[in-house]
Amino acid sequence: MIKNTLPETTLCTSDFFYDLPEERIAQTPIEPRDHSRLMVLENGNITHKHFYDILDYLQSGDTLVINDSRVIPARIWGEKVREGNFASEPSKIEMLLLKQLGDDKYEVLLRPAKKIKIGGKINFSNILVATVEAVVEDGNRIVRFEYDKSKYTSIYEVLELIGTMPLPPYITEKLEDQSRYQTVYARENGSSAAPTAGLHFTPELLEKIRAKGVEIVPVMLHVGLGTFRPVKEKKITDHIMHSEFISVSEESARKINERKRAGGRVIAVGTTSLRTLESVARDDGEIVPTNDETGIFIFPGYRFKSVDALITNFHLPESTLLMLVSAFYGKDRIMDAYKCAVEEKYRFFSFGDAMLILP
């Protein structure tokens, strides 16, 4: 697994707190996707735009690096399989798939977890059965799924029938169109949460970007819930990142390296793309093809090796993602920008507005 050597810091988790009125948390996505607002941070200056204005800041020779992981309908509801001839009511169980560990084997979150012991089974709509094999850190479970493989080619086909999108807990309104929690370029199943910076792109905007001479290159990080969890430890360096699977193909690495050597900028779409690139970059910035787990933790003091600019959403207080963007642009400037965003009534978090950071 890829991890980084943590820089020394005197910063505490509380240094990344900010006040956010509840009404600033976006509950529904903007239509069309690219009509969300865009805050541009450049050389200490703040400019207010719309996302479709991103074209004005991209140049021929740039590389736009996207995360093409696809969110799976990872939240499912089932019933505990009763043992023996018991007349009690069946136990309702909610399951959230967190991370694939092998063929049909996953780390999951169960609610209520205490009702399911090791060896216990859960039936989902009579087409999917999960058997609990182990209990791991944080009380999560390791389960193995069984389904009729003569009817379904993969568990993802089953999840499309019985599952729902795993929206974050701060989104309380029902999502009518499940595709709006999916980027238009999503390809490979595996994420438990959306790489939200990519939600602002439309196919038409991507074509205009290509027409400017910008190369759009995919990498992959299967987003887990650990990315979005607030840091509970007082000292930043005591926090342990949950690992996530990343993949950078030989073709993607070649394209990024060629453009960078020619003087083009590497612009990461989202913190997941940035963390992927920084996980696989050598000290000289060259990108290495990789299939691995990453637990990279980026906060102020980190030295960036590969990324020149970042497109991102607004992140939760005291989160590792807020620490990451603070490392990229400077903590004081980021916290000032967030204060400005609250005052200017930007929309925050997954369905919220975006930020373009040009150090």
Side-chain angles (χ1 to χ4, degrees):
M1 184 178 76
I2 301 168
K3 300 180 77 171
N4 56 313
T5 301
L6 300 181
E8 294 184 4
T9 183
T10 59
L11 291 170
C12 298
T13 301
S14 58
D15 292 319
F16 297 89
F17 178 81
Y18 65 92
D19 285 313
L20 181 68
E22 188 174 345
E23 62 268 21
R24 298 270 56 84
I25 301 174
Q27 294 295 315
T28 55
I30 288 287
E31 292 290 353
R33 290 174 182 253
D34 60 357
H35 278 52
S36 56
R37 296 173 71 188
L38 178 70
M39 176 182 282
V40 181
L41 305 184
E42 187 173 16
N43 298 323
N45 298 315
I46 298 177
T47 307
H48 305 291
K49 296 285 187 176
H50 286 89
F51 196 81
Y52 50 74
D53 294 317
I54 199 96
L55 282 166
D56 297 335
Y57 297 91
L58 301 177
Q59 307 165 5
S60 178
D62 286 343
T63 303
L64 197 68
V65 180
I66 60 175
N67 177 10
D68 64 358
S69 179
R70 187 173 187 273
V71 186
I72 62 175
R75 179 167 278 118
I76 54 179
W77 287 265
E79 296 179 352
K80 177 182 176 181
V81 176
R82 293 178 290 175
E83 299 177 2
N85 297 316
F86 296 103
S88 60
E89 289 294 318
S91 298
K92 303 292 185 181
I93 303 294
E94 178 186 355
M95 177 182 288
L96 180 63
L97 281 69
L98 299 177
K99 186 178 180 181
Q100 186 174 17
L101 302 176
D103 290 341
D104 301 325
K105 189 174 182 177
Y106 275 80
E107 180 179 346
V108 304
L109 176 66
L110 294 181
R111 294 193 182 105
K114 63 182 180 180
K115 291 187 177 182
I116 308 294
K117 299 178 180 179
I118 294 177
K121 296 180 181 293
I122 310 166
N123 184 325
F124 300 93
S125 303
N126 293 322
I127 58 175
L128 182 68
V129 174
T131 302
V132 176
E133 295 189 341
V135 180
V136 294
E137 183 185 3
D138 294 338
N140 295 341
R141 267 55 175 174
I142 304 299
V143 304
R144 186 174 296 279
F145 289 108
E146 298 174 79
Y147 53 93
D148 189 343
K149 295 186 177 179
S150 67
K151 291 184 178 180
Y152 307 106
T153 58
S154 72
I155 189 173
Y156 301 119
E157 190 175 344
V158 177
L159 293 175
E160 290 290 342
L161 293 175
I162 66 173
T164 61
M165 284 296 186
L167 296 179
Y170 50 75
I171 296 177
T172 57
E173 293 191 21
K174 182 180 179 181
L175 181 62
E176 298 297 336
D177 181 0
Q178 297 291 302
S179 69
R180 288 300 276 109
Y181 195 59
Q182 200 82 264
T183 63
V184 297
Y185 47 73
R187 181 184 59 85
E188 184 167 343
N189 288 309
S191 280
S192 297
T196 55
L199 296 178
H200 304 281
F201 289 94
T202 65
E204 295 78 14
L205 181 58
L206 291 169
E207 283 305 310
K208 291 178 181 178
I209 290 171
R210 292 188 181 95
K212 286 199 72 169
V214 177
E215 184 91 45
I216 300 175
V217 177
V219 297
M220 191 190 69
L221 180 148
H222 285 327
V223 186
L225 298 187
T227 298
F228 302 99
R229 284 176 176 160
V231 179
K232 296 179 180 179
E233 292 79 8
K234 181 178 179 181
K235 291 176 60 178
I236 292 174
T237 50
D238 288 341
H239 178 71
I240 298 176
M241 292 288 289
H242 288 68
S243 65
E244 295 162 308
F245 181 75
I246 62 172
S247 178
V248 180
S249 69
E250 291 188 6
E251 181 181 10
S252 290
R254 177 183 59 78
K255 288 180 177 179
I256 296 169
N257 291 332
E258 286 178 354
R259 286 254 171 162
K260 197 168 181 68
R261 282 195 290 266
R265 298 178 300 174
V266 173
I267 301 167
V269 177
T271 56
T272 58
S273 297
L274 183 148
R275 292 180 66 239
T276 301
L277 293 173
E278 289 296 314
S279 294
V280 304
R282 294 175 177 160
D283 287 341
D284 61 1
E286 183 169 347
I287 302 301
V288 180
T290 307
N291 290 288
D292 203 345
E293 297 274 330
T294 184
I296 190 171
F297 185 14
I298 297 175
F299 54 83
Y302 177 86
R303 186 180 68 83
F304 289 87
K305 304 185 288 290
S306 63
V307 177
D308 301 299
L310 173 65
I311 299 168
T312 187
N313 278 21
F314 293 90
H315 304 294
L316 277 72
E318 300 184 337
S319 65
T320 60
L321 302 184
L322 181 55
M323 295 174 189
L324 184 154
V325 296
S326 296
F328 196 70
Y329 195 62
K331 175 187 170 294
D332 291 342
R333 292 200 295 186
I334 283 293
M335 299 307 287
D336 286 345
Y338 270 59
K339 181 180 178 182
C340 176
V342 172
E343 293 172 349
E344 294 293 328
K345 294 181 167 48
Y346 275 71
R347 304 166 81 245
F348 278 66
F349 306 159
S350 295
F351 287 144
D353 296 314
M355 175 183 284
L356 171 62
I357 306 177
L358 299 163

